[in-house]
Every structure is written in structure tokens, then in C-alpha cells.
Amino acid sequence: MSDSTAPSRSRTVLLRGGEVHSPADPFATAMVIEGDRIAWIGTEGAADSFADGVDEVVHLDGALVTPAFTDAHVHTTATGLALTGLDLSGAPTLGEALARIRAYAAARPHDEVLLGTGWDAAAWPEQRPPRRAELDEATGGRPLYLTRIDVHSALASTAMLDLTPGVTARDGYGEGPLTGDAHHAVREAAHATLSPRRRAEAQRVARAHAASLGIGALHECAGPEISSEDDLRQLLDLAAAEPGPRVHGYWAEPVSSAKDADRIRELGALGAAGDLFADGSLGSHTAHLCSPYADAPHSTGTAHLDADDITAHVVACTEAGLQAGFHAIGDAAVRAVTDGMRRAAEKVGTDRVRAARHRVEHAEMLTEETIAAFAELALTASVQPRFDETWGGEHGMYARRLGTERARTLNPYAALLRAGVPLALGSDSPVTPLGPWETVRAAAFHHTPEHRISVRGAFTAHTRGGWRAIGQDDAGVLAPGAPADYAVWRTGALIVQTPDTRVANWSTDPRSGTPGLPDLTPGADLPVCLRTVVGGETVYTRPDE
């Protein structure tokens, strides 16, 4: 007779006949999962001894198994709304954007407020956003809130402004795109119309889409200027209750006391970090620069926090044992963050600041001095390589905003890795789409050759790097004892790609013992996700597989 009080035996699964990307065994073809952990990794011959003792055998038929990806910077509800709603990214002209708005408005007759994102006037031949009268005509006079692709400015129809009391007196209000306080007020009014049911729908769609791309974890970068406390709580509750990618939440609000830190924890957030804005964005001319914009010589952008503000926040978080972090893009903003971090280290001790693993989102305009500060203080650089893919190059938005030479300094991933700065890769979705292999490819084939990193380095930053960014060093890798978060891929031959072809040529030799990865050369077919597993539970299976 069995003891009814004994714990139930963990279910075991053997995967075999594929390529298992593992530092534990570069030639592995098989893996055993027991419950929510990896129990064993090895070769086919040894797998035979497990075959009769497991609950399930998965024949990989040559497929590649990798750790599931972690997207280290996501706005989940906004991503779901973009996937199910009005998305203007890719609209080739102003006229096409207005046509999409008309079609969306006609298709959603019962929405109290029309929500959209993704417009980028810099990519249109007209070189201007829609005027308010054009929005009013396209929506039939209905409220519309439409964020620019970087989400740092927005357009609003007249009816939307009418729903936002006092907006015309706020900083950032004008006939053009709304910025600053005016933008935040309109965003709050628009998002207040979202019902819990609509939010949950968007969150489910976003998590399901992420799972279909081999993503096993998301870092939700929430905050009072981006979403709402209700939105974060609802997302974390949904992720805890329903299968799908894990969600690790951040709340972007300044902390000045232990009481403030406790409130961050009560929200379920890992830290007072993410999009705590030190500045804005380059596309909206709100990133804070040391020297004026090339195409707006009267402006150096906007500083939302100075070094004193940053010091106070980091000290309070460090003393409370809470992770701190900031959004910083321009060189002046990044310098303010590193200056503030250094002052905090002087107050509470460098070792304590390093141990807290504070993080900086985007960190695009770096110098030798700020890179050295990142390394000295063990700051994680949470970066988005598809920003360079989208806006880099000598004819891209960065070059228009900054001039070609200054633009070439942006996103120096190789210099960060050489300095020993931990990288975590993400998308900032919906700013750029979820797509981990595309992100790895963008880092490996950066527009500026000296900033390129190896596919292996980018892959590690997009898997293990995301886990290290939240203080967990045993995850994001396929090794015995690690969490069973993995993805199965159909792909071509595995190779090793580095910026230096001499290294690549040696590394592809089997004698090197370097695990291969898919060929991500631009134009090559990307891997297709067949299955995504989180904590030993399948959260996505490709149809007809």
C-alpha cells in the first residue's frame, strides 16, 4: 500500500536525437527533465539507459534544444494591445498611416478610446506626423491616443484631449506630438478606459506570442508614467495562475525610504527600476545630450533626474536590499546615472552597490568613462540591439539626430563586454517587436562593425544574461540542476559566428568543443520554434508538429 502522505513522484521526460546546446557537454544530443529541473545531459549511448525509466520520450529528429530566451525589457499589456489593435509600425507613408487609422476605427465601433502605437514620421516621405484635424477626420471625431514608436511622445485627437482635463496647461502640450507632462496625462486618461478584461486579453496575447518565439521569461518594465499599479498586479497574478512565460516585474518610481521600498515589494516588483526616466528618447528629441542635436541645435533634450536624485534613489534601494535602475539613453543622462551611482557607493559602500546588481535600461550613448563606471559598479546594461537595426546606419534616424560621427558611437556592445559589463538583451516591445533570434542577429551584425559581438555572446546575454540581471545565476543555461526552461527549434546547420572570421573558422572545427548555434547571417532563414517549456511545463507547441 502506498503512503498517501508521501510526495508524488516528479514526472520525467527524455529528449533525444537532437542537438542540446549546453556548456556541460558541447556534444550532447539528449537531456532528461525531472519535474521542473534538468536532471541529466549527455549523448545517445548514455540516453539508452534512461529510456525505460522515464514517463515520456521526445524524439527530437535532429532539432536544436536551447535555453528559453529572456526578454529583459517588455511592456506586456502595450505589446498585446499592439498585437490585437492599431499598429502603425511599418506604415510606409503618412497616407497609409491615416488609412490604417480609418480602418481600425471602423472595425472597433464600441471602443470608448481608440489605442494605437508605432508611428514614425522620420520614416515617411512627408517627414511629419498626422495633424490633429487629420486624426479627427480619420477617427470620425472619436478619442484616439497614438504613441510614437519610441513611446516617448504621442498624438491625440481632439476628443481625446477633451477627456484629459487641464492638458493644454501642461508642459509638453502643443499642436504637434505631446511630450512630458501633457503626454503622461493623456496616456493616463486613455489607459483608464481599459477594462480589466481588455487588459487581461492583451496580456494573454502578448505572453502567448512570446512563448511561440521561444521566450520563457519577460521583464515587465512598469511604472506610474507607463502603465498603472493595477496593470502590473493583474499581469503578475495572471502569470502566476496561467501557463506561459514567467514575468518578473519592475516598478519605476523613486524610493526615498524603507517604507517606499516596502510598497514596491507589495506590488510584487523585484525592484524600483526599469523605465525610471533619467531622460527621454532620441527619436522624440528628449534624450538628454551633452551637446545639442544635429537637427535641433537649440536643444539638448530633457533631464528628468539629476545626479542628486539618482544618488538618493540608489542609496535608499541599496539600504533596503532592493534593486534600483534607470532609463538612460543620452550621454548626459548616462553620465548623471553613473555619477549618482558613484556617489551612492561612497555613502553605502561599493561592495553593497555591486551586490545589488542595479541596472540601466538602453544605455545607448556611452563613453569610455561611463563604460568604466558600469564595470566598476557591476551595473547591468539592459540593451535593445534592434534599436540599431531600426535606427542605425549612416542614413538612419540616429545619424539625422546626432550627425554621422556621433551616431557611430551608439550601442557599443563589444566595448561593454570587453570591460566586463553584464549585458541583458531585450526588445522594449512594442517599440521593437519580440523576436529573440532577430535580436541576437542585430547584436552580431551591428551597423558599426567595431560594436559587433559574437552570436554566442549575444545569445548568452539573451538567455543567461536576463536571469543574472534579476540575481539568479543558475538559470538560463542547460545544465543539471538548472530550471527546465527550454525551447526546441527547427534550424539548419549549426556554426559559430564571431566578428573575427579567424576565430570563427577555428571554432567551427569540432575539436574546439564550442557548441554551435544557427547561422544568423542577414538573409538566412531564422530558426522556427517547435516547442517552448517553462518549469518543465509545455507552454507552446507549434501546430501540426
Side-chain angles (χ1 to χ4, degrees):
M1 181 183 295
S2 64
D3 182 356
S4 61
T5 63
S8 59
R9 183 178 64 85
S10 295
R11 190 169 184 274
T12 56
V13 178
L14 168 64
L15 295 85
R16 64 182 307 178
E19 300 277 355
V20 178
H21 185 89
S22 172
D25 183 346
F27 307 106
T29 62
M31 180 168 72
V32 173
I33 306 300
E34 184 172 355
D36 63 355
R37 294 274 161 175
I38 297 170
W40 172 87
I41 288 174
T43 57
E44 279 306 294
D48 289 337
S49 64
F50 291 99
D52 293 335
V54 298
D55 298 301
E56 181 185 0
V57 177
V58 176
H59 295 282
L60 295 168
D61 297 324
L64 171 66
V65 184
T66 71
F69 287 97
T70 292
D71 192 309
H73 191 121
V74 172
H75 304 285
T76 307
T77 303
T79 296
L81 291 171
L83 289 167
T84 60
L86 175 56
D87 183 4
L88 297 185
S89 61
T93 65
L94 170 61
E96 172 61 21
L98 289 168
R100 291 188 189 184
I101 293 170
R102 287 189 197 94
Y104 185 75
R108 309 282 296 207
H110 303 298
D111 285 7
E112 183 178 347
V113 170
L114 300 169
L115 300 173
T117 190
W119 62 270
D120 185 4
W124 296 339
E126 298 88 352
Q127 289 289 297
R128 70 168 179 86
R131 298 186 176 98
R132 194 163 294 152
E134 292 172 322
L135 296 178
D136 292 345
E137 182 277 327
T139 60
R142 294 168 64 193
L144 169 69
Y145 169 68
L146 190 61
T147 57
R148 190 184 182 279
I149 190 169
D150 58 13
V151 199
H152 283 272
S153 58
L155 301 169
S157 65
T158 301
M160 184 69 244
L161 296 176
D162 291 343
L163 294 178
T164 314
V167 65
T168 58
R170 290 179 178 265
D171 289 341
Y173 176 82
E175 286 303 311
L178 305 169
T179 61
D181 289 345
H183 177 205
H184 300 155
V186 172
R187 174 192 281 155
E188 183 176 354
H191 285 181
T193 67
L194 283 175
S195 67
R197 180 177 178 179
R198 181 74 177 95
R199 280 202 302 265
E201 175 195 4
Q203 292 164 359
R204 288 189 178 100
V205 166
R207 291 180 73 233
H209 182 57
S212 76
L213 299 171
I215 297 171
L218 304 168
H219 293 189
E220 167 66 15
C221 291
E225 295 182 2
I226 303 162
S227 52
S228 69
E229 293 184 10
D230 288 343
D231 183 84
L232 177 61
R233 285 195 181 98
Q234 183 172 342
L235 173 62
L236 295 176
D237 288 346
L238 184 145
E242 299 180 6
R246 305 173 193 265
V247 177
H248 306 289
Y250 287 96
W251 183 251
E253 193 165 8
V255 168
S256 60
S257 65
K259 183 178 179 181
D260 290 343
D262 287 343
R263 199 179 74 79
I264 299 291
R265 290 193 179 95
E266 288 167 4
L267 286 173
L270 294 178
D275 278 332
L276 180 51
F277 296 116
D279 68 345
S281 74
L282 290 165
S284 293
H285 290 100
T286 52
H288 188 204
L289 310 184
C290 293
S291 301
Y293 284 87
D295 62 348
H298 59 284
S299 174
T300 56
T302 305
H304 297 302
L305 299 171
D306 61 22
D308 289 339
D309 300 323
I310 289 158
T311 299
H313 180 69
V314 174
V315 167
C317 287
T318 304
E319 290 182 335
L322 192 68
Q323 197 175 19
F326 304 90
H327 161 121
I329 287 179
D331 50 358
V334 175
R335 187 175 64 188
V337 168
T338 54
D339 286 351
M341 289 275 186
R342 276 204 169 111
R343 293 181 197 174
E346 291 170 1
K347 292 177 180 289
V348 300
T350 299
D351 289 346
R352 290 181 70 189
V353 168
R354 288 178 59 88
R357 304 194 191 192
H358 302 312
R359 53 190 285 171
V360 183
E361 310 301 315
H362 316 310
E364 293 199 76
M365 294 185 70
L366 293 156
T367 64
E368 289 184 8
E369 292 75 20
T370 51
I371 289 173
F374 271 56
E376 173 194 346
L377 300 169
L379 304 180
T380 294
S382 171
V383 298
Q384 297 74 40
R386 297 191 77 182
F387 285 9
D388 173 74
E389 177 187 68
T390 305
W391 299 308
E394 62 182 44
H395 302 297
M397 181 270 287
Y398 289 155
R400 290 194 295 275
R401 292 290 185 269
L402 303 172
T404 303
E405 290 307 309
R406 200 163 31 152
R408 283 179 60 85
T409 69
L410 264 62
N411 301 301
Y413 304 137
L416 286 164
L417 284 185
R418 283 196 301 270
V421 175
L423 292 185
L425 303 192
S427 62
D428 199 8
S429 180
V431 175
T432 63
L434 297 173
W437 289 114
E438 291 90 340
T439 297
V440 171
R441 181 170 61 188
F445 294 92
H446 196 295
H447 275 102
T448 307
E450 58 263 37
H451 298 333
R452 293 173 180 171
I453 59 178
S454 69
V455 167
R456 185 183 182 191
F459 175 81
T460 300
H462 212 352
T463 51
R464 199 167 196 175
W467 284 97
R468 286 174 168 166
I470 62 169
Q472 296 191 31
D473 294 333
D474 66 340
V477 63
L478 301 183
D485 290 21
Y486 61 90
V488 180
W489 307 90
R490 182 169 61 236
T491 187
L494 303 183
I495 63 173
V496 175
Q497 289 177 293
T498 76
D500 187 330
T501 57
R502 294 168 300 172
V503 175
N505 290 339
W506 158 245
S507 297
T508 54
D509 189 308
R511 293 171 295 172
S512 72
T514 303
L517 285 165
D519 180 2
L520 300 185
T521 303
D525 291 337
L526 291 173
V528 174
C529 185
L530 304 179
R531 177 183 293 195
T532 304
V533 176
V534 175
E537 182 176 3
T538 298
V539 299
Y540 170 77
T541 301
R542 184 174 174 82
D544 303 322
E545 294 290 340

